[in-house]
Amino acid sequence: MTTSSELAGSGLGIVTVNLTPGQILTLDQIRTPHGDLTITSGTFDFNTFTINRSVAGGTFSMAAGTTVLLGASNYPGNYNIDTLDPTSTVNYDNAGAQNVTNVTYGNLILSGNGTKTFGASTTIAGNLSINSGVVADLGTFSSTANTMSLGGTGVPDGTWGSNSSIAAYQNNTYFTAASTGIINVAVCTAPPFQPSAITGSLTPCEESSQV
């Protein structure tokens, strides 16, 4: 881990986590950097501590293949920009309730136990994994994921939620029974419109299906 000032000092500047494959850096106390937080390689375990920026600004970024472990509702805050590579992973792994921050994730894992609560519509560019023993509270929101697994098993594309939702696939084991929110798994949610009669351009759904 490199910083623009000593890690044990009274303040941190720019923080860069650059580990060899398989290495894990564990946060030992609350940290409040003044600059960017960048994870270029390896796994950063926040434990139950925070590493929020001292004042609003800067960027929190995760490079391809990196992982962050969150042991509380402690996703890094006060950064103006969140840039998470589609192959990065954020794992909310507390053995209890946690709030899922509204950012665009690469892969998102909900593990440990308890209820993980979505506070807004959330986009997961990669896979959403809800482990056994975890219940996702989707609120009233419509979120999206490219793929999804429940208890380690991949599920079909479509809309997913509790029995109280309008989802095509309803499940009260992995989704809170009172929640009406849904997860759109590989389902295009772009506003419908017709191709232009002049240009013949494709709709967003058609464009994404031909990538």
Side-chain angles (χ1 to χ4, degrees):
M1 179 174 181
T2 61
T3 73
S4 61
S5 60
E6 292 298 322
L7 179 61
S10 59
L12 294 172
I14 296 172
V15 177
T16 302
V17 177
N18 185 16
L19 306 172
T20 58
Q23 279 190 313
I24 300 175
L25 175 68
T26 301
L27 199 60
D28 63 339
Q29 60 181 275
I30 294 173
R31 304 290 186 178
T32 52
H34 306 310
D36 296 341
L37 171 59
T38 304
I39 305 173
T40 59
S41 59
T43 297
F44 193 3
D45 185 351
F46 285 28
N47 203 336
T48 58
F49 302 109
T50 59
I51 188 166
N52 299 336
R53 202 174 189 274
S54 58
V55 294
T59 299
F60 167 57
S61 61
M62 296 179 64
T66 58
T67 299
V68 160
L69 305 177
L70 300 177
S73 299
N74 56 341
Y75 182 91
N78 243 9
Y79 297 91
N80 284 350
I81 300 172
D82 295 271
T83 304
L84 279 58
D85 187 90
T87 63
S88 66
T89 300
V90 175
N91 185 347
Y92 289 82
D93 64 355
N94 185 270
Q98 289 176 278
N99 295 324
V100 178
T101 297
N102 177 30
V103 297
T104 298
Y105 293 93
N107 299 304
L108 175 61
I109 300 175
L110 307 180
S111 63
N113 283 289
T115 302
K116 316 300 182 183
T117 301
F118 288 66
S121 297
T122 302
T123 299
I124 300 101
N127 184 67
L128 168 61
S129 176
I130 305 176
N131 288 7
S132 297
V134 173
V135 179
D137 183 348
L138 303 178
T140 59
F141 310 108
S142 178
S143 298
T144 61
N146 187 46
T147 58
M148 186 171 71
S149 58
L150 302 178
T153 301
V155 302
D157 293 351
T159 54
W160 287 80
S162 75
N163 291 353
S164 299
S165 73
I166 61 171
Y169 298 98
Q170 298 180 348
N171 183 305
N172 279 0
T173 300
Y174 293 96
F175 303 102
T176 52
S179 171
T180 59
I182 61 173
I183 295 285
N184 299 284
V185 180
V187 175
C188 180
T189 58
F193 63 89
Q194 297 300 317
S196 167
I198 298 175
T199 65
S201 58
L202 297 174
T203 69
C205 291
E206 290 172 324
E207 288 177 339
S208 63
S209 69
Q210 294 191 16
V211 172

